[in-house]
Amino acid sequence: MIIKNGNVLVEGKISTKDVFIKEGKIKDFNVEGVHDNQIIDAEEMYVLPGFIDVHTHGGNGIDTNLADEKELKDLSGFFASKGVTGYLPTLLTDTHEKTCEVVEIIGNVMEKQESGSKILGIHLEGPFLSHEFKGAMPDDLIVDSSIEKFMEYEKKSNDNIKTITVAAENPGVLGLIRYAVSKEVVVSLGHTGATYEDCMMCIEEGANRITHTFNGMRQLHQHYPSILGAALESDAYCEAIVDGLHLHPAIVRLMIKTKGIDKVIGITDSVMATGLPDGKYKLGVNDIIVVDGDARLVHGDSRAGSTLTMNKALKNLMEFTRLPIEECIKMITINPAKMLNIDNDKGSLDIDKDADIVIMNKNYDVIYTIVEGRVVYNNSGK
């Protein structure tokens, strides 16, 4: 495949060039003498690294806790239409049996997936969390940390657990963190009211990410810095739900100014209502209602994820921060790739990396999505 005449983002700069793709990899930015059957003319379009969403509960009527194999494939197709080339299905806290069932389904899909956005692994959001800061998590299903249960999740998923969110005060969590890190699973802190000291201890043991920073956690206080003090002071990556509802734009700017843009990861935390009209939906075991695009629990006042898509996240980041696309896109491409330790293959347009590419017009509408050299979404009319 050759992508011709595009405004291509390479090494932090956008310039007009071509992209030569062979066997799923980016091979060159010079196509002289190359003859290939498939040519995409990207004149006046942006050619960018594909988006990576590390925190999503679903979209287009599909919930990750409830999806079967076909629905997961359909979900991958929906995400591809939003410029996503890779994502982590995120599982809400559920029963042990249900979690085992779902991770097995996702693991099976990963083994034979051939279309749509690529599932890069599984994100377990729980069940080892805080009762006080549970947010939309079902309180009766939150349990103490258990290496044995986590090992069962690993086995059922065929070792496809990529990351897990835990609360720093959950009993037994340090042992679980040590075990998970030893298995190269990324540990994230979230849904927690723990002290600054306990959070820093978890970070020292290997936790290196904060789940939807500022949301579902004890807030910053000058005498009790809590998780936010640890998040902003440490080198941990900070997720940010950039829908304009979960975080005021000034907080997004403050996070970037404090952490540095390379340590902030834009996420959707999207739910099954994403892409659909307002109404009643599910989020795992929960009943939720969406009004004006704002998802909340039917019973209780907690927000329940978002209806954000990743292409809209990019637009929001540019609007909130007033930074150019070259900077904003880092937060939804190379930063999550580095956090997941897959940046040797994904997250930027470099020679010999996977050809995970989104092509957008000047209005930042998705025209093509390419995953490992395959066109998985085409809105060009050709």
Side-chain angles (χ1 to χ4, degrees):
M1 182 190 299
I2 297 172
I3 302 172
K4 293 186 66 67
N5 308 316
N7 298 309
V8 185
L9 177 61
V10 178
E11 296 181 348
K13 296 180 180 179
I14 290 179
S15 57
T16 303
K17 58 182 62 187
D18 304 327
V19 183
F20 174 46
I21 298 167
K22 185 176 181 180
E23 297 175 350
K25 302 284 186 179
I26 296 170
K27 288 300 180 183
D28 208 335
F29 298 106
N30 178 4
V31 298
E32 286 186 22
V34 174
H35 302 285
D36 201 280
N37 292 328
Q38 188 173 8
I39 296 176
I40 293 176
D41 187 354
E43 187 173 3
E44 297 187 355
M45 297 185 194
Y46 292 107
V47 179
L48 308 168
F51 309 147
I52 300 173
D53 193 355
V54 298
H55 192 147
T56 169
H57 297 279
N60 201 34
I62 299 164
D63 179 274
T64 53
N65 279 56
L66 307 174
D68 59 23
E69 290 192 20
K70 180 185 180 303
E71 288 171 324
L72 282 169
K73 293 174 184 176
D74 290 345
L75 182 62
S76 290
F78 172 71
F79 286 150
S81 74
K82 307 304 177 185
V84 176
T85 54
Y87 70 103
L88 301 185
T90 299
L91 301 184
L92 197 81
T93 293
D94 213 316
T95 66
H96 180 68
E97 294 75 19
K98 182 64 176 176
T99 303
C100 287
E101 175 190 331
V102 177
V103 298
E104 185 172 11
I105 290 171
I106 297 172
N108 290 339
V109 171
M110 290 178 67
E111 287 183 8
K112 51 193 176 186
Q113 189 177 6
E114 296 179 351
S115 62
S117 305
K118 185 171 184 177
I119 298 176
L120 302 173
I122 299 165
H123 172 200
L124 295 177
E125 193 174 5
F128 314 123
L129 303 174
S130 157
H131 292 281
E132 185 181 0
F133 289 90
K134 63 184 183 295
M137 299 294 161
D139 188 72
D140 60 322
L141 298 179
I142 293 172
V143 297
D144 292 353
S145 295
S146 167
I147 294 174
E148 291 73 23
K149 285 182 177 175
F150 182 74
M151 289 173 69
E152 191 168 353
Y153 300 147
E154 285 187 296
K155 183 178 179 181
K156 290 288 186 180
S157 73
N158 197 24
D159 290 324
N160 281 309
I161 306 299
K162 194 71 176 178
T163 178
I164 182 171
T165 295
V166 300
E169 70 270 41
N170 187 276
V173 75
L174 288 179
L176 176 64
I177 291 173
R178 293 187 195 106
Y179 173 79
V181 170
S182 76
K183 302 293 285 186
E184 299 184 347
V185 174
V186 177
V187 177
S188 188
L189 299 180
H191 290 282
T192 177
T195 65
Y196 164 86
E197 290 77 14
D198 283 347
C199 292
M200 288 301 285
M201 194 178 303
C202 290
I203 291 169
E204 288 165 6
E205 290 292 345
N208 75 334
R209 168 167 149 236
I210 310 300
T211 296
H212 44 52
T213 314
F214 284 95
N215 299 118
M217 58 186 59
R218 192 177 299 281
Q219 296 302 293
L220 188 66
H221 187 280
Q222 70 269 28
H223 299 306
Y224 310 102
S226 69
I227 184 173
L228 281 168
L232 297 175
E233 183 183 17
S234 72
D235 287 332
Y237 288 93
C238 285
E239 288 185 352
I241 307 174
V242 288
D243 61 349
L245 298 172
H246 285 80
L247 299 173
H248 189 284
I251 293 295
V252 177
R253 293 193 294 272
L254 177 63
M255 198 185 307
I256 292 170
K257 190 170 185 178
T258 307
K259 295 293 299 182
I261 202 165
D262 294 336
K263 286 293 183 177
V264 177
I265 295 175
I267 61 166
T268 63
D269 200 6
S270 64
V271 298
M272 69 183 300
T274 303
L276 300 176
D278 288 354
K280 293 183 178 180
Y281 297 94
K282 297 289 289 188
L283 174 58
V285 301
N286 294 317
D287 293 313
I288 65 173
I289 186 166
V290 178
V291 178
D292 295 330
D294 190 6
R296 292 181 178 269
L297 293 177
V298 170
H299 305 291
D301 60 355
S302 176
R303 278 209 166 91
S306 87
T307 58
L308 181 67
T309 58
M310 278 303 250
N311 58 325
K312 177 62 174 173
L314 176 61
K315 294 178 186 179
N316 286 351
L317 282 166
M318 294 174 66
E319 179 184 341
F320 296 169
T321 65
R322 309 181 192 98
L323 293 171
I325 190 170
E326 296 93 323
E327 290 296 301
C328 289
I329 200 166
K330 293 177 183 177
M331 293 181 274
I332 56 174
T333 56
I334 192 62
N335 292 2
K338 286 181 176 179
M339 185 271 294
L340 294 173
N341 298 310
I342 58 173
D343 54 300
N344 284 337
D345 298 310
K346 299 182 183 294
S348 60
L349 303 185
D350 295 307
I351 291 175
D352 290 331
K353 279 195 176 186
D354 292 342
D356 289 355
I357 298 169
V358 58
I359 301 177
M360 309 181 84
N361 63 19
K362 292 295 185 180
N363 295 321
Y364 306 107
D365 302 313
V366 177
I367 307 302
Y368 293 94
T369 302
I370 299 167
V371 174
E372 296 178 356
R374 301 187 317 273
V375 176
V376 297
Y377 177 73
N378 180 349
N379 190 36
S380 69
K382 299 177 183 178

